[in-house]
Amino acid sequence: QVQLVESGGGFVQAGGSLRLSCAASGRRFSINAMAWYRQAPGKQRDLVAEITNGGSTDYADSVKGRFTISRDNAKNTVSLQMNSLKPEDTAVYYCYARLGARGDWGQGTQVTVSS
């Protein structure tokens, strides 16, 4: 099992930026990839961005060109730099560690973007 702790959420005006961070502890050697998901009220939890151990990245179409995922393997952290934020980016953002066929979730951090 991997424990994940997110930080960096908050309130920002449209057009602004936020940086989310996630620190992993526990069975870190079992992690294949790390990702950020988000869930808005009344909606399903969707993938925002993912980064593999090899550094390959994948982004949701809605955030391409605005968000950047990065990973520091030495510090066991993954970050999400979010620029040009829009009100529709408002959601709880969750860090996710993929361990083969399963994964572990962080507790989530709220991001609110005002218009």
Side-chain angles (χ1 to χ4, degrees):
Q1 188 175 4
V2 174
Q3 292 77 45
L4 302 168
V5 178
E6 301 105 333
S7 61
F11 182 93
V12 65
Q13 290 187 333
S17 298
L18 282 175
R19 185 177 181 87
L20 306 182
S21 294
C22 173
S25 60
R27 296 174 60 90
R28 301 185 301 271
F29 57 89
S30 299
I31 297 175
N32 305 126
M34 296 189 75
W36 288 94
Y37 284 73
R38 67 186 180 187
Q39 187 168 21
K43 296 188 177 181
Q44 66 181 21
R45 189 174 297 186
D46 291 325
L47 176 69
V48 175
E50 181 180 75
I51 185 166
T52 67
N53 285 357
S56 297
T57 57
D58 188 28
Y59 295 90
D61 288 342
S62 60
V63 306
K64 285 181 180 177
R66 300 188 297 124
F67 291 11
T68 302
I69 190 170
S70 60
R71 187 171 173 181
D72 186 332
N73 291 324
K75 296 182 178 179
N76 300 305
T77 59
V78 62
S79 298
L80 185 69
Q81 178 66 41
M82 306 185 293
N83 298 328
S84 301
L85 283 161
K86 304 176 181 179
E88 50 264 44
D89 295 317
T90 295
V92 177
Y93 283 70
Y94 295 90
C95 182
Y96 177 77
R98 179 157 54 88
L99 299 89
R102 58 169 296 277
D104 288 316
W105 294 93
Q107 81 285 357
T109 185
Q110 176 70 45
V111 171
T112 302
V113 185
S114 67
S115 58

